[in-house]
Amino acid sequence: MNSRRKVLKSLALTSLSLPWLRSWASAVQLPAPHDPDYWQKIRHAFMLSKDKVFFNTGTVGAMPKVVVQRVVEHFEKLATDVADWDYKTDIGWISGYHPLPDLRKKIAQLINADAHSIALTDNVTSAMSYIAMGLELKRGDEVLTSNQEHGGGRSAWIVREKREGIAYREVTLPKPVQNKDEVLSLIRTALAPQTRVLMLSHIITGSGAILPVKEICAEARAKGIITVLDGAQTIGHIKVDVADIGCDAYVGCFHKWMGAPPGTGFMWVRPELLKNLWTSVCSYQWNNHEDEGFRFSQRGTGNYSVMIGMEAALDFHNEIGPQRVYNRIKFLGSYLRDGLRRMPKVKIFSPADEAMCAGITVYNVAGLTGARLQDEFWNRARMRPRSQGDEFGVRHCTHIYNSEKELDRALEILQKI
Ligand SMILES: Cc1ncc(COP(=O)(O)O)c(C=O)c1O
């Protein structure tokens, strides 16, 4: 079979086309939406140990039980029955060779994009590297970013600076930022005639600031600048609509706020730009312009069990209802910040404007360090926020598996120390 027919044939297969691959959505029993114990019952859908409190979703999220069950089921199937694989279809055993159209469609629906422009990646770092390495840029073209980007977002651009003479520049954003206008004005002023690419986090990892990306992208677009957004901290946390934002590229992952297994990410690039993006990790489909997203998804043998877990996590999120999840995360984040604002010795590094905040709060207590705070929380109550170093204290993430009660207890601990 020629390769085009082979692709079309595999595109026609769905992830549910093998009898032992069931619909994950129907397997989850969720409480009724009006149940007064709704969130408590949702908490039971997670495997998180009951004697520990997890506040570090910004590093890696806790997985719902159904996600783990699906991964394990598939792993066992692979170990037991791999001999059943007759290679007449290439779906269901390993990942990295199949376009997985249904899965990409679910991601596309989540961010309001076209599924053919979505590539499956292992994480945000690889997605960002595909974009940074694949864009045609010439010596002197500038990539502008902020001083608060994660290494996985900014490093590939720095490699191009060192290797090819692309200019790399960071605009300094304050921490905390006061409001959207402040950020917009700083970025607007920093855009220069030589700026070709603007890369920014949609949510800044070390402060939780939700940047005014729609307004920023409009400014950049008017100047012909390509906008690339790092959504490592947004997917499953706040609503993301790439069409509304108006960016040129968006990368994200599912292993933080979406509760998928580690090693699950995606890249979306606007079709006009995607067709000219060079492939960095290349296999048979490296030049397949009929399905651009597949061109980047074909990255060699990978773990299909993890893909199944990822689909289960997306289904779980959709069954609860994305907006319900975002509202709950924001409610808990605001609850925590309200409590912190009542403590005179606490300094908050998340934005002063609550409209720029959701589930990430970064704060410190006068005279303490992040390491000390992290240890105090753990030793006193088996609570796990994450240290942000000497100055910035801890990053405290709130997700649907957290509760008001846990936050009251955390605030009580802060009062005591
Ligand atoms: C803003 C941001 N970008 C990139 C990354 C790297 O993500 P990944 O580990 O999925 O590559 C992180 C991880 O914390 C992040 O917060």
Side-chain angles (χ1 to χ4, degrees), residues 9 13 18 85-93:
K9 183 173 174 241
L13 287 165
L18 294 184
W85 186 14
D86 57 10
Y87 298 91
K88 288 178 185 161
T89 67
D90 58 359
I91 187 170
W93 301 93

Side-chain angles (χ1 to χ4, degrees), residues 58 123-125 150 152-153 201 203 205 230 232-233 253 255-256:
N123 46 45
V124 172
T125 305
H150 189 278
S201 288
I203 293 187
T205 188
D230 175 344
Q233 296 293 347
C253 63
H255 43 230
K256 295 184 191 289

